[in-house]
Amino acid sequence: MKKYIKQFITPPLPYDYAALEPYIDQQTMKVHHDKHHVGYTIKLNAALEKHPDFFQYPAEVLLQKLEKIPTEVRTAVKNNGGGHVHHSFFWKIMTPAKQSDKPNQQLIKALDSAFGSFDKFKEMFENAATTLFGSGWTWLSVVNNKLIIEQTSNQDSPYSLGHRPILALDVWEHAYYLKYKNVRADYVKNFWDIINWNQVAENFATAK
Ligand code: MN
């Protein structure tokens, strides 16, 4: 059994607010982390206040087992648990541009086999991210040892489908609107310059 905790905590960014400039601006990172992410975590904790047994699980597990969550708080846990888990994941798979590298050989091989080539994968991922209607996320996930690109709306989670995400892009307007306004495609293109491929490779290794 996991150690009992009283609440979920918003992890700090693993870099400065301005570290992803010029691709993602400081102001966006500050509002995104300190307001949006913190808000999800607070609301997740509030939803589970009367059901404290659930604090013993990692938040991902709550999303994997939504059917076990009491019905009166299930939607709140889906939305705010999703928001908390997805943002915690998202901060870690980004890094300042100078530190961004390439996928390792193992990942390149898997991307080649799933999508034809790394460039083809990028094109398909960009397409999924730009065409997602409304708020949501685009993911690179492992399902039955295969890589897939998937879209989820709002804070619906690949974890709830039994999938294991290894890369994510937040395409809610709050993630890019201050800098990119309505041009989501430019935000999506610039994402490639700030991916922490070491972290993605680690996610891939543990997801398989
Ligand atoms: Mn967000």
Side-chain angles (χ1 to χ4, degrees):
M1 191 155 287
K2 289 269 193 286
K3 187 168 154 262
Y4 186 89
I5 54 164
K6 291 226 169 42
Q7 56 177 6
F8 292 103
I9 308 279
T10 308
L13 285 181
Y15 34 71
D16 293 339
Y17 295 110
L20 305 180
E21 295 260 12
Y23 304 103
I24 302 180
D25 58 291
Q26 176 173 10
Q27 184 65 16
T28 296
M29 289 303 290
K30 202 159 171 47
V31 174
H32 201 173
H33 179 272
D34 293 5
K35 302 295 180 193
H36 291 279
H37 187 169
V38 167
Y40 289 123
T41 312
I42 287 172
K43 287 181 189 151
L44 173 63
N45 288 331
L48 292 175
E49 208 164 51
K50 290 184 178 143
H51 309 280
D53 283 357
F54 288 101
F55 286 120
Q56 70 187 290
Y57 301 105
E60 289 85 349
V61 173
L62 304 182
L63 301 176
Q64 283 164 344
K65 303 198 178 295
L66 280 176
E67 75 281 358
K68 302 266 171 64
I69 307 293
T71 48
E72 75 269 20
V73 294
R74 192 177 297 158
T75 300
V77 169
K78 175 167 80 97
N79 291 338
N80 298 295
H84 171 58
V85 166
H86 299 159
H87 288 92
S88 301
F89 181 94
F90 185 47
W91 310 135
K92 285 176 71 178
I93 58 89
M94 294 191 289
T95 192
K98 279 186 212 126
Q99 290 164 42
S100 181
D101 207 342
K102 284 260 149 55
N104 65 13
Q105 276 310 309
Q106 194 191 16
L107 187 50
I108 284 283
K109 228 174 116 185
L111 289 168
D112 283 353
S113 129
F115 306 109
S117 68
F118 182 51
D119 283 343
K120 190 75 194 153
F121 155 69
K122 285 170 68 175
E123 188 188 320
M124 291 170 74
F125 188 93
E126 281 184 26
N127 188 49
T130 47
T131 59
L132 191 153
F133 184 76
S135 296
W137 293 76
T138 299
W139 308 89
L140 176 64
S141 304
V142 175
V143 185
N144 298 326
N145 279 320
K146 291 245 165 66
L147 286 171
I148 63 158
I149 294 167
E150 58 186 335
Q151 302 166 318
T152 59
S153 289
N154 303 311
Q155 298 297 353
D156 291 357
S157 187
Y159 288 107
S160 302
L161 303 169
H163 301 172
R164 294 288 302 266
I166 67 167
L167 176 71
L169 181 58
D170 188 344
V171 294
W172 283 59
E173 284 187 346
H174 69 222
Y176 64 86
Y177 206 86
L178 288 179
K179 180 179 174 73
Y180 294 94
K181 302 297 182 283
N182 60 317
V183 191
R184 186 195 288 178
D186 286 352
Y187 161 71
V188 171
K189 276 207 181 312
N190 283 341
F191 177 55
W192 303 113
D193 285 304
I194 47 170
I195 295 178
N196 182 344
W197 286 109
N198 284 334
Q199 182 63 50
V200 178
E202 199 181 311
N203 294 344
F204 184 50
T206 50
K208 282 195 306 173

